Amino acid sequence: MEHASMLKLSEVLTTLDMSRAAFYRMRSRGQGPRLHRLPNGHLRVRRSDLDAWIEGLAETTV
């Protein structure tokens, strides 16, 4: 897995212009990009997963 393609949660929140609380509310409803928990407990999101999730949002609103 290429490390550069993994985003920190703070980078995802900046990209989405969303607060951490709003992100976790969305996740509790079963929405949002797929998260990966690293062995150290930190969360990461693959850039490709985030891009696909955003693209899926665009498709459902058209």
Side-chain angles (χ1 to χ4, degrees):
M1 184 179 316
E2 187 179 322
H3 190 72
S5 67
M6 300 292 282
L7 301 172
K8 294 178 181 180
L9 186 56
S10 61
E11 295 169 317
V12 173
L13 296 174
T14 298
T15 300
L16 297 175
D17 190 26
M18 181 178 282
S19 71
R20 186 175 298 266
F23 182 80
Y24 281 114
R25 279 194 305 272
M26 178 180 67
R27 295 282 305 156
S28 72
R29 293 189 303 263
Q31 301 169 333
R34 182 175 176 200
L35 296 177
H36 301 273
R37 186 170 303 276
L38 300 179
N40 62 6
H42 295 181
L43 296 173
R44 296 290 185 268
V45 176
R46 283 191 183 132
R47 180 80 224 187
S48 59
D49 288 344
L50 180 62
D51 291 341
W53 179 75
I54 291 171
E55 186 63 32
L57 291 176
E59 291 174 4
T60 60
T61 59
V62 174

